[in-house]
Amino acid sequence: METVLVVGAGQSGFGVATSLRDKGFGGRVVLIGDEPGLPYQRPPLSKGYLAGTAGDAQLRLRPEDFFAEKNIELIPGRVASVDRDEAKVVLEDGSAHEYDHLVLATGSVNRVLPVPGSTLDGVFTLRTKDEADVLRAALESAENVVVVGGGFIGLEFAAHAGRPVTIVEAQDRLMARVATPEVSAYFADLHEEAGHTILLGKGVAALRGEGRVAEVELSDGSLLPADLVLVGVGVEPRTRLAEGAGLAVANGVVVDEHLRTSDPKISAVGDCANFPCVQAGTATRLESVQNAVDQARAVAAVIAGEPAPYDSLPWFWTDQLGAKLQIAGILTGAEKTVVTGDREGGKFSVLSFRDGVLAGVESVNRPPDHIAARRLFAADPAPRFETLEANGFDLKATFA
Ligand code: FAD
């Protein structure tokens, strides 16, 4: 019987296993994961789970009996190496498991702040449930909280921490890598209104303290008191297994349009995969639930004998201080933006155009715009600036 072995029981690994069964795949499906417990989703960790409004049940992707029902074998443990000649993986405990097809769904790890003091007690990152549990407990007694990095994770943490924090960001605006200046400015206002202090254009030179963090030293020499520091400065793809197996790796495991690595018996999906992104027009690595879920489905289709080039539209969301930001498409390289809706009332969208064509839409508390944008992007070709202008930049009217 054919065996599909999936390394990594996170969002995309779980997705591959369930999608294979949805497609009627009748062989063995084996999911190997190195985190304790059942597969879970990460988004609540920096939102409701941190705030205490969501519990374990909201994290879990499926209850235990689901895996038995679907005949998905869950094996706890960390894969130490891939032996391509023998088509097997070897776990750290020495056990070996053979595969007919292997899927790498190993995700990413948080980047470490490359400054002295980054391993002091009281310095945290947030990616796993275990980290969220420790962080939640530490928050209860913390007095001076500093967030290093004004990206999604740092800002969601700030929004759900339940107290004023100081946010230190090296760029000149928040979420600079993924949002337009209009959206960055809106969220900066929200966080300041909530009592947070935002320091832009400031690097961190060191974290200071005796065993435990007491101060954050900024690049200009100034010192911030801190007994809890959350570092959210991005992630690195987990590629060690792929590198050890001699697969092509460049900012992630390199895959083709069918998400196959340089070995056709091995695929890679989710945060760890660098794939040819149709919308970006270049090789891209994305860190989102949409990307993990859609790539999982696409790989399952390839394995089940229904291959189609992967071309799903990238989309993303974040929840902060009562504002839901949804992003559809790819914003990089845009030459023009248009703001529609009610910015002051906190319900607006920013339309980004690249080469005169709609390339990305950020919607703040405007879910209908987000849905309309996804439909517009699904239409071939996406609308031009002039078409939207003629409709008063009304996405729904343009789609209708
Ligand atoms: P993961 O879900 O990270 O799973 C990878 C798994 O592989 C991990 O369990 C890892 O331990 C395991 N693994 C790695 N190597 C091995 C090995 N050698 N052997 C065995 N197991 C191994 N995205 C959104 O779209 N919206 C959000 O609001 C959002 N919020 C987020 C909040 C937080 C706090 C975090 C951390 C992420 C958030 N994301 C969000 C991103 C999203 O969760 C990730 O993009 C998604 O989880 C990626 O799925 P993945 O399967 O590639 O990786």
Side-chain angles (χ1 to χ4, degrees), residues 3-20 25 28-34 72-79 82 89 91 97-107 241 265-269 272 296 299-300 303:
T3 299
V4 176
L5 213 142
V6 185
V7 184
Q11 188 87 52
S12 66
F14 167 82
V16 172
T18 52
S19 300
L20 279 168
F25 177 76
R28 280 183 74 208
V29 177
V30 182
L31 194 50
I32 305 178
D34 63 358
I72 295 169
E73 298 170 46
L74 281 175
I75 297 183
R78 178 167 298 154
V79 175
V82 177
V89 301
L91 270 62
H97 300 270
E98 293 180 353
Y99 62 81
D100 294 291
H101 194 94
L102 177 67
V103 183
L104 299 176
T106 49
L241 279 182
K265 285 179 97 170
I266 306 179
S267 308
V269 289
C272 73
V299 156
I303 296 169

Side-chain angles (χ1 to χ4, degrees), residues 8 11-12 34-35 42 47 79 127 238 271 288-289 317:
Q11 188 87 52
S12 66
D34 63 358
E35 287 191 73
R42 303 191 191 282
K47 306 178 183 73
V79 175
R127 176 146 202 95
R238 273 175 94 160
D271 281 16
S288 70
V289 168
W317 83 95

Side-chain angles (χ1 to χ4, degrees), residues 35-36 70 104 132 136 155 223 226 234 237 240 267 270 308 393 400:
E35 287 191 73
K70 296 283 179 184
L104 299 176
R136 213 158 68 159
L155 293 179
L223 296 171
R240 202 181 53 76
S267 308
F393 297 105

